[in-house]
Structure formats: structure tokens, C-alpha cells
């Protein structure tokens, strides 16, 4: 493959200014992430430690292989919601390596409202199980939870993708022969008791872990029986009498050691391996992304400059380089794995959509994963384009992406607006993973476009009613819409609601996508089949 020739002057004032501005954005993100990663309030963390318990992220660090990364997912879930009283939505999820096996880890954070579940906690837990199912990854549940956050019960209990979905997913994972191990390190009550009960093997910590359908207060209210938590569902009961748990641990560290021992007996998943010596780092320094990525989304960015700092050797075999240049398509390697890349260079025209659909077909016919790099304002609008069939041609691209049964990965490096989000494998199109950069934006359209649309509608309404156009009212509408779209279009608003799998530092893209491609090889996809393309 040919090496991309960068046109960026890293010594220019423009580059240096952009980098300086981007680092401010990045530092804000890292400051927020650092604070959220502490877990619950200091008083709760101290109380937790005095009980001899490790914090959730400490447990994970001890569980995974030494000197291997843990890719945390949706770390800022519920950020700026619930008065920020549920950092990370009270649960830590991600991908770690245990005895060389990539594993989904789901760990309750009991320092956050006793590890109870709000809407985002439910969504995050289910999303982690989906990733395990899609990629055939074993699961470890580090259970320390009081169950449903009762004031939120109407939002977390009855619907299809609410609390009960956990156990449905566990049954489905088990049927697919995907190993699931539970470590009960604290409370595990009510419906939550089914998490360990439906796992392949369960470890419980003595004088610390408890499992029961109804706790002591409920038992007393229902039957009049008085019983302690330990007598009702402690480690001795479940490892020697009920058989609900299989292994007795003396403390957190011992429980984690037992879990790691279990993983020694779990067979390796067979997937495509790459030779370490065949992996070539990018020719251009990934840190140069800070000087390239868009601060002002109105300014164009050549997506090949992004690709050059992500792929092996900065090498890229471009497809249809001279045709429909508002989209870049081609083949590369990331951490030794073949990947097709589709990246935005501007608005989507009919020919752009056709080029994208053609390239998706190539990738599916060759069984090559696809990485979508989004910086998209949407499809072109106007009389000429509608008459030329932009909706028909755009539908081809959407159709191809929706039915592509190869692993899809999406990174939003700029804007993600309108139907362009769909064609470029937005969340609704089931990419295996979707990540955002801290500068990125996502909404149905840009704030200024939305404001202008609503102002035009308001002006026409005033004229139809015979009223004079009130300029003060118009400016008020403009400001309200701009402020609304600025807030709701931000990466923080998106990640708080789990519209993505997390905000990432741009220089980690290569590592994260490389791991994502590696684990996607664990599962064989069905053959891609297309329906009717309107011609």
C-alpha cells in the first residue's frame, strides 16, 4: 500500500494554535474523567474501604493480567444528570484481558448509592452484555449492588430493555456457550440474585457477600421471621447448604484469585491472530491529531490526515480516489488487521452515496471489517439534488450499511448531523463500537441551521397572521435554539445517555479500534444479504 503524503505543516502557526485549543478541550475532558473515576463521595469510599473491600476499579485492576490495558466503556454515563450523584452511573464496564482472554467485565460500584441501578446503569449493563454476545467474549460480574434504585423503579423495571433483560441476556449468552463468572463481593438482592444464580460459576466472599430474593426486612414483613443477612443468604449458606454459590473466598483479593484460576480452565477462543512483528506504527505521530482535528466544525478537515495517524505505516490503498471526493474510501491495516475505512470529507451527494455503497459491498464480499470516521453535515439539499434522486441514492448507502454483516466500528471526529449519521453507521445501525472525540457534536442538524429553520417558520407564521416581524422575538428564538443545540449536541450530552460507547482521547483510537477488531474475530458473522435497491 502507498503511504499517505501529509499536507500538514506541523510548524505552522495554524497547526500550533489548533493544537493549543484542542488540548484545552482534551484537558477539560480528562479533568472530568478523573473526578468521575473516583466513584462515590469520599465518605462512601472510606466506609467501603473500612469494611475491607476494594473499590470497583481496584478490583478490576487486580483481576486483569498485569501490564495490560482495561478499555473502560461509557465512563461518563449519567454525567450532568441526577445532580451528578451517580458517577459512571454507579457501574464500571469494559474490556480487559484475563489469562490472555479478552473479557467483558461488569463491576458494581457500591460507593455510588449502594451500587443501585438507575436508567443509565441498566443501559450500560445491557450494552456490555450485548458486546459480549456480538463478539463471543466471556463475562465477569463483580456484584456489589442493592438492586433497583427504588425512586426510579418505573424507569428501570418493567420495559423490554430494563432490569429483567440482564437475566434474559445471561440465558442467551449461556446458550451460545459464552462463559459467565460471578464474584459476589457485597449485596446481591431481589432480582439481582439471578446474576450469580445464572452464571456458570459463582464465587462469594465470606462475611461480605449476600444473595437473597428478599432481604431481612422483606422477610420479616412477609412472614414475621427475624433473620440476619448472613443467616439468610451469606457465603456459608450458599456454599454449603443451598449450592447457589460454588466457591468460598475470604476477601476480595482471594475471590479475584479464584476467578483468575477459573479462567485458566476456560478454552481459548479461536480467531485470526496477527504477528506482532508485522505491526507497523503510523509513520506520522498520532499526537499530531491534536493540531488537525476540527475546533470549528465549519472548517473542512482532510480525513486522510486523520487516517494517516491511525493506520499501520500510514499506508492506505484508496478506492475511487478521483470520484466523489467528499468521501474517502479505501483499505488499510490497524494493529496488523485488515480494515476498510469510510471517512467524510464534506457533504454527501448522490455520487458520494453510490461510492460509499459500492465500497461497503466490496468489504462485505471480502469479509473485511469497516471503520467509519464521521465528520458529516448530512446529505445535500436543494431542488436540483432532489430531482436527481438524492433520496434514492442516499437510501442505497443506508441500505448497504444496515445489511453489512461484517464488524462495523464508528468514530466521530467532528460533527455527526442528520441522515449522514445513519449512512455512516450511527448508533441505530449497530456498529460493534461507537466512540466520540471530546470536540465532536451530534444532533439532527447544526444549531445555526436549526435556528434559521425555526426563525423562517416563525416569520412566515407572523406574516400569515398579518403581524409585524418582531426582531427581538426572532433574536430570542435564535439564542434559545443555539444554546439548546450547543448543550444537547455535545459529546458529553451524548455519552451521558449512552448514545455512544464513550469519549476517547484521539491518540488512543488506534489501540482501541485495534482491540475492537481483534475481539470481533471471535464471532463468525452471517453472510451479508441485501434487499431491494431502488435504481
Amino acid at each position: 500500500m502507498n503511504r499517505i503524503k501529509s499536507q500538514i505543516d506541523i510548524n505552522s502557526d495554524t497547526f500550533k494554535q489548533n493544537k493549543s485549543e484542542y488540548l484545552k478541550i482534551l484537558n477539560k475532558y480528562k479533568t472530568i474523567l478523573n473526578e468521575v473515576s473516583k466513584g462515590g463521595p469520599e465518605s462512601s469510599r472510606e466506609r467501603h474501604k473500612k469494611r475491607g473491600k476494594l473499590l470497583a476499579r481496584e478490583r478490576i485492576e487486580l483481576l486483569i493480567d498485569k501490564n495490560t490495558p482495561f478499555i473502560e466503556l461509557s465512563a461518563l454515563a449519567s454525567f450532568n444528570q441526577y445532580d451528578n450523584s451517580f458517577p459512571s452511573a454507579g457501574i464500571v464496564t469494559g474490556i480487559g484481558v484475563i489469562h490472555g482472554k479478552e473479557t467483558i467485565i461488569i463491576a458494581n460500584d457500591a460507593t455510588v448509592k449502594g451500587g443501585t441501578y438507575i436508567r443509565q446503569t441498566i443501559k450500560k449493563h445491557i450494552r456490555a452484555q450485548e458486546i459480549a454476545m456480538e463478539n463471543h467474549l466471556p463475562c465477569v460480574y463483580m456484584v456489589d449492588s442493592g438492586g433497583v434504585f427504588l425512586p426510579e423503579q418505573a424507569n428501570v423495571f418493567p420495559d423490554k430493555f430494563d432490569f429483567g433483560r440482564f437475566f434474559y441476556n445471561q440465558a442467551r449468552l449461556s446458550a451460545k456457550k459464552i462463559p459467565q463468572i460471578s464474584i459476589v463481593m457485597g449485596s446481591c438482592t431481589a432480582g439481582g440474585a439471578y446474576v450469580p444464580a445464572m452464571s456458570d460459576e459463582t464465587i462469594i466472599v465470606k462475611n461480605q457477600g449476600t444473595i437473597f430474593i428478599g432481604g431481612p426486612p422483606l422477610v420479616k414483613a412477609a412472614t414475621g421471621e427475624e433473620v440476619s443477612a448472613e443467616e439468610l443468604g451469606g457465603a456459608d449458606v450458599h456454599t454449603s447448604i443451598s449450592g447457589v454459590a460454588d466457591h468460598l473466598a475470604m476477601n476480595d483479593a482471594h475471590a479475584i484469585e479464584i476467578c483468575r484460576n477459573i479462567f485458566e480452565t476456560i478454552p481459548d477462543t479461536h480467531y485470526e491472530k496477527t504477528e506482532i512483528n508485522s505491526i507497523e506504527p503510523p509513520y506520522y505521530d498520532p499526537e499530531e491529531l491534536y493540531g488537525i482535528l476540527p475546533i470549528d466544525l465549519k472548517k473542512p478537515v482532510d480525513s486522510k490526515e486523520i487516517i494517516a495517524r491511525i493506520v499501520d505505516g500510514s499506508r492506505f490503498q484508496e478506492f475511487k480516489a478521483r470520484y466523489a471526493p467528499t468521501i474517502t474510501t479505501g483499505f488499510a491495516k490497524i494493529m496488523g488487521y485488515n480494515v476498510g475505512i469510510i471517512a467524510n470529507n464534506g457533504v454527501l451527494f448522490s455520487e458520494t452515496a453510490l461510492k460509499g455503497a459500492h465500497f461497503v459491498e466490496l468489504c462485505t464480499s471480502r469479509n473485511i471489517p469497516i471503520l467509519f470516521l464521521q465528520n458529516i453535515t448530512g446529505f445535500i439539499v436543494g431542488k436540483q439534488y432532489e430531482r436527481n434522486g438524492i433520496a434514492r441514492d442516499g437510501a442505497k448507502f443506508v441500505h448497504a450499511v444496515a445489511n453489512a454483516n461484517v464488524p462495523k466500528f464508528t468514530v466521530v471526529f467532528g460533527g455527526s448531523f442528520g441522515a449522514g449519521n445513519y449512512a455512516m453507521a450511527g448508533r441505530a445501525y449497530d456498529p460493534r463500537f461507537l466512540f466520540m472525540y471530546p470536540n465532536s457534536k451530534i444532533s439532527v442538524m447544526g444549531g445555526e441551521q436549526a435556528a434559521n429553520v425555526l426563525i423562517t417558520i416563525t416569520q412566515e407564521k407572523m406574516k400569515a397572521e398579518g403581524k409585524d416581524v418582531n426582531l427581538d422575538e426572532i433574536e430570542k428564538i435564535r439564542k434559545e435554539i443555539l444554546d439548546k443545540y450547543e448543550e444537547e449536541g455535545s459529546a458529553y450530552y451524548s455519552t451521558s445517555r449512552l448514545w455512544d460507547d464513550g469519549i476517547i482521547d484521539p491518540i488512543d483510537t488506534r489501540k482501541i479500534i485495534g482491540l475492537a477488531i481483534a475481539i470481533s474475530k471471535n464471532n463468525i458473522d452471517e453472510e451479508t444479504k441485501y434487499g431491494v435497491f431502488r435504481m
Side-chain angles (χ1 to χ4, degrees):
M1 295 183 188
N2 295 323
R3 177 172 290 139
I4 294 172
K5 292 181 180 179
S6 177
Q7 304 300 312
I8 299 294
D9 179 2
I10 62 172
N11 295 311
S12 70
D13 291 340
T14 302
F15 179 90
K16 291 176 181 177
Q17 177 65 26
N18 198 87
K19 183 175 181 179
S20 175
E21 292 299 314
Y22 199 90
L23 288 175
K24 291 176 186 176
I25 294 171
L26 186 67
N27 289 336
K28 175 188 174 183
Y29 159 65
K30 290 192 171 180
T31 299
I32 293 170
L33 181 63
N34 182 61
E35 187 61 31
V36 163
S37 297
K38 293 176 182 177
E42 187 175 356
S43 58
S44 294
R45 299 198 303 270
E46 288 302 315
R47 188 162 57 248
H48 187 86
K49 289 181 176 180
K50 283 179 181 177
R51 292 172 179 158
K53 300 166 79 171
L54 297 171
L55 298 174
R57 288 175 177 83
E58 292 174 339
R59 288 167 171 170
I60 292 169
E61 187 64 28
L62 199 58
L63 177 64
I64 63 176
D65 294 351
K66 288 184 178 178
N67 301 318
T68 61
F70 175 67
I71 307 298
E72 186 170 347
L73 303 170
S74 300
L76 300 187
S78 79
F79 177 68
N80 277 346
Q81 299 187 71
Y82 306 95
D83 296 321
N84 280 320
S85 59
F86 282 88
S88 293
I91 194 169
V92 183
T93 64
I95 304 165
V97 178
I98 306 173
H99 278 296
K101 303 172 184 78
E102 290 93 352
T103 304
I104 283 288
I105 301 170
I106 301 172
N108 298 117
D109 186 348
T111 71
V112 179
K113 303 289 186 181
T116 52
Y117 281 73
I118 55 172
R119 178 178 294 177
Q120 283 73 34
T121 327
I122 299 277
K123 200 170 182 181
K124 192 169 172 180
H125 188 126
I126 289 172
R127 175 63 185 143
Q129 289 179 314
E130 286 174 348
I131 291 168
M133 204 171 302
E134 287 175 333
N135 299 286
H136 211 90
L137 298 179
C139 285
V140 173
Y141 305 98
M142 306 182 95
V143 186
D144 197 346
S145 168
V148 166
F149 183 62
L150 294 180
E152 280 278 292
Q153 70 88 21
N155 294 323
V156 299
F157 173 69
D159 209 352
K160 181 177 180 179
F161 292 103
D162 283 347
F163 203 85
R165 194 73 178 190
F166 299 167
F167 320 122
Y168 173 87
N169 284 343
Q170 284 190 256
R172 301 282 292 179
L173 286 161
S174 185
K176 289 177 178 287
K177 301 189 181 345
I178 297 173
Q180 298 173 85
I181 311 299
S182 280
I183 313 176
V184 181
M185 312 174 99
S187 180
C188 183
T189 187
Y194 290 111
V195 172
M198 296 188 73
S199 294
D200 297 8
E201 296 188 52
T202 292
I203 306 152
I204 188 169
V205 179
K206 187 178 177 64
N207 297 321
Q208 184 173 299
T210 54
I211 305 170
F212 30 62
I213 299 299
L218 182 58
V219 170
K220 184 175 181 179
T223 69
E225 180 184 8
E226 293 194 14
V227 61
S228 71
E230 196 64 29
E231 291 173 315
L232 183 64
D236 283 329
V237 170
H238 286 309
T239 55
S240 65
I241 300 173
S242 74
V244 170
D246 309 300
H247 306 277
L248 178 68
M250 296 299 108
N251 51 42
D252 281 4
H254 184 209
I256 289 167
E257 180 185 355
I258 294 170
C259 183
R260 286 186 54 81
N261 290 343
I262 290 169
F263 263 76
E264 285 191 272
T265 69
I266 292 175
D268 283 322
T269 303
H270 298 291
Y271 58 85
E272 178 186 334
K273 300 282 187 180
T274 60
E275 296 294 332
I276 297 297
N277 58 10
S278 72
I279 298 173
E280 187 181 5
Y283 179 78
Y284 300 102
D285 186 350
E287 284 201 19
E288 292 173 6
L289 288 169
Y290 299 148
I292 299 169
L293 289 166
I295 306 294
D296 180 355
L297 297 185
K298 297 175 192 170
K299 295 181 179 178
V301 174
D302 183 354
S303 56
K304 285 199 283 290
E305 298 290 354
I306 310 298
I307 295 168
R309 288 152 181 89
I310 294 174
V311 303
D312 290 10
S314 303
R315 300 182 188 280
F316 185 59
Q317 180 62 40
E318 192 167 0
F319 173 73
K320 283 186 182 289
R322 300 180 63 202
Y323 180 76
T326 60
I327 199 170
T328 299
T329 55
F331 298 99
K333 288 180 181 287
I334 295 180
M335 303 300 284
Y337 293 103
N338 288 322
V339 63
I341 298 176
I342 303 177
N344 298 121
N345 260 349
V347 71
L348 293 170
F349 295 90
S350 280
E351 59 269 28
T352 322
L354 295 173
K355 176 179 172 179
H358 186 171
F359 185 72
V360 169
E361 286 184 306
L362 282 183
C363 291
T364 57
S365 69
R366 299 174 187 176
N367 200 28
I368 294 175
I370 308 172
L371 171 62
F372 294 82
L373 296 175
Q374 283 198 16
N375 182 25
I376 179 62
T377 55
F379 285 89
I380 193 69
V381 296
K383 182 172 72 173
Q384 173 193 342
Y385 304 107
E386 296 294 352
R387 291 186 174 191
N388 288 339
I390 182 66
R392 177 198 61 221
D393 293 331
K396 292 185 180 71
F397 193 10
V398 171
H399 192 124
V401 172
N403 283 294
N405 274 337
V406 293
K408 301 186 287 278
F409 313 96
T410 304
V411 175
V412 183
F413 73 87
S416 178
F417 300 118
N421 168 277
Y422 304 153
M424 291 293 293
R427 190 65 142 180
Y429 288 75
D430 284 341
R432 295 289 180 96
F433 294 93
L434 189 155
F435 298 104
M436 298 186 77
Y437 287 171
N439 61 298
S440 55
K441 305 278 187 185
I442 181 168
S443 55
V444 70
M445 63 180 70
E448 289 190 14
Q449 290 89 337
N452 289 336
V453 168
L454 290 171
I455 285 168
T456 300
I457 292 170
T458 302
Q459 288 174 330
E460 289 176 352
K461 183 180 178 183
M462 287 178 173
K463 289 176 183 176
E465 294 172 352
K467 297 177 181 177
D468 292 332
V469 174
N470 187 321
L471 295 180
D472 290 339
E473 182 68 19
I474 294 299
E475 284 309 307
K476 181 182 176 185
I477 291 172
R478 184 186 301 279
K479 185 178 186 309
E480 287 175 353
I481 295 299
L482 287 174
D483 289 347
K484 179 181 176 66
Y485 272 68
E486 181 65 23
E487 177 192 356
E488 295 180 1
S490 78
Y492 295 103
Y493 195 92
S494 168
T495 206
S496 175
R497 288 154 182 80
L498 282 92
W499 298 346
D500 54 62
D501 292 309
I503 298 173
I504 62 172
D505 185 332
I507 66 169
D508 291 333
T509 307
R510 174 178 164 78
K511 172 183 70 178
I512 291 171
I513 297 301
L515 175 63
I517 296 171
I519 66 173
S520 77
K521 299 291 183 180
N522 294 354
N523 202 10
I524 299 173
D525 295 287
E526 297 177 6
E527 180 185 355
T528 296
K529 296 178 181 178
Y530 295 114
V532 176
F533 285 77
R534 294 184 64 86
M535 296 300 182

